[in-house]
Amino acid sequence: LSIHPQESTTKNKDGSHLAETANPMSATDEEMDDQIKSATADDMEDLIESAEEASDIKKLLDIISTCSHHRHQESPEDWDVPSEASLDSFYRVIKGSRSDGGDSILELPMNTRSKLMHSLQEWREEEAIVEVALGCIAAVGSQAEENFDETVDGIDVELIVNIMQTYEDESAIQEQACLAIKGLAEASEGLKARLLEVEGMGEELKAAKDRITNERNKKYVGQAAAALGLEL
């Protein structure tokens, strides 16, 4: 498998296009394990299991990016299962690495958030993948990421609001989207400012409170608003 820079385009609910986002995979192609680059969809199960057992989040991110790359290649339907599985593994590793203070003891490699957002973008029509991708973004929260200032500008924060609108009847996605917004806002003042510039952000958070069916989890809306400095 030879990875080349690729751009992908997402659409708003009304059919208009969001900004194009470059595939973050291209920047780290030379560092990626040859075994991952040449793997088929069927090969991914063993690679994912091995990476999770080793708590190797860089390798998991490379697998996530490989699956995203194949979204627009031949037989993309073969790659939805390993895409979801690799995101699930990443989520478990991050959540399982929490210290007593609540922060992960694992260092986030460069492009962590960019690769997770790119996966969300590429698989936005697959509900199960959308939910777990948002969960991963929420799980890393505000944790420090290597050279984050070099990649933060490529993160399309508007995508999360559009996902909330697309899946307005899916309570779990609304919950994870709110937590993802909270994490991104706390990770970077620049991301916080860009989130506040997204048209309808406040209204979407207010709507999410009604869309979330678990009363206990409605608090996630308030947490997202507080991270943004918004009063709902």
Side-chain angles (χ1 to χ4, degrees):
L1 174 64
S2 177
I3 306 301
H4 300 284
Q6 173 181 322
E7 292 193 337
S8 55
T9 304
T10 58
K11 292 183 178 181
N12 291 312
K13 194 174 182 182
D14 61 5
S16 59
H17 289 281
L18 292 174
E20 292 184 337
T21 303
N23 185 343
M25 190 177 180
S26 59
T28 56
D29 181 34
E30 292 182 359
E31 301 175 8
M32 189 179 296
D33 191 316
D34 287 339
Q35 191 176 18
I36 295 175
K37 288 193 288 185
S38 61
T40 66
D42 291 337
D43 294 331
M44 285 299 182
E45 182 178 356
D46 289 342
L47 292 173
I48 293 168
E49 182 178 346
S50 174
E52 181 173 355
E53 287 178 353
S55 296
D56 190 338
I57 55 176
K58 182 184 184 303
K59 183 169 286 187
L60 285 170
L61 286 165
D62 287 345
I63 293 170
I64 289 167
S65 286
T66 298
C67 294
S68 297
H69 170 78
H70 281 283
R71 179 68 178 87
H72 298 290
Q73 306 300 316
E74 68 287 345
S75 303
E77 66 277 3
D78 293 341
W79 291 87
D80 57 350
V81 172
S83 181
E84 183 180 354
S86 56
L87 287 162
D88 274 330
S89 288
F90 179 90
Y91 179 85
R92 287 192 295 267
V93 169
I94 291 295
K95 297 293 281 188
S97 67
R98 299 295 186 195
S99 65
D100 292 339
D103 294 326
S104 173
I105 60 175
L106 298 175
E107 180 181 0
L108 297 182
M110 184 174 178
N111 275 314
T112 292
R113 291 178 177 85
S114 293
K115 288 182 177 181
L116 294 174
M117 288 291 289
H118 187 67
S119 178
L120 176 64
Q121 182 180 44
E122 291 302 306
W123 296 99
R124 61 177 297 162
E125 296 177 2
E126 301 293 333
E127 181 181 322
I129 298 179
V130 165
E131 182 178 341
V132 70
L134 285 171
C136 289
I137 297 164
V140 301
S142 59
Q143 186 177 343
E145 176 183 325
E146 181 184 356
N147 297 330
F148 189 41
D149 57 337
E150 297 180 19
T151 60
V152 65
D153 289 345
I155 295 177
D156 177 17
V157 295
E158 187 176 357
L159 174 62
I160 295 180
V161 172
N162 281 271
I163 290 289
M164 294 174 75
Q165 294 169 341
T166 299
Y167 292 96
E168 58 185 14
D169 296 328
E170 300 301 327
S171 177
I173 287 179
Q174 298 295 313
E175 293 173 10
Q176 295 304 321
C178 288
L179 291 174
I181 289 170
K182 173 181 180 290
L184 291 174
E186 292 176 344
S188 161
E189 285 297 321
L191 283 179
K192 176 181 176 180
R194 283 158 51 196
L195 283 162
L196 287 168
E197 291 173 357
V198 175
E199 184 176 356
M201 173 61 76
E203 290 75 10
E204 205 59 38
L205 288 176
K206 289 179 182 178
K209 194 167 187 178
D210 292 328
R211 296 169 183 164
I212 294 173
T213 56
N214 186 321
E215 288 296 323
R216 184 179 60 183
N217 294 346
K218 289 180 182 289
K219 64 185 178 183
Y220 299 154
V221 174
Q223 292 174 2
L228 292 170
L230 290 176
E231 292 187 12
L232 301 182

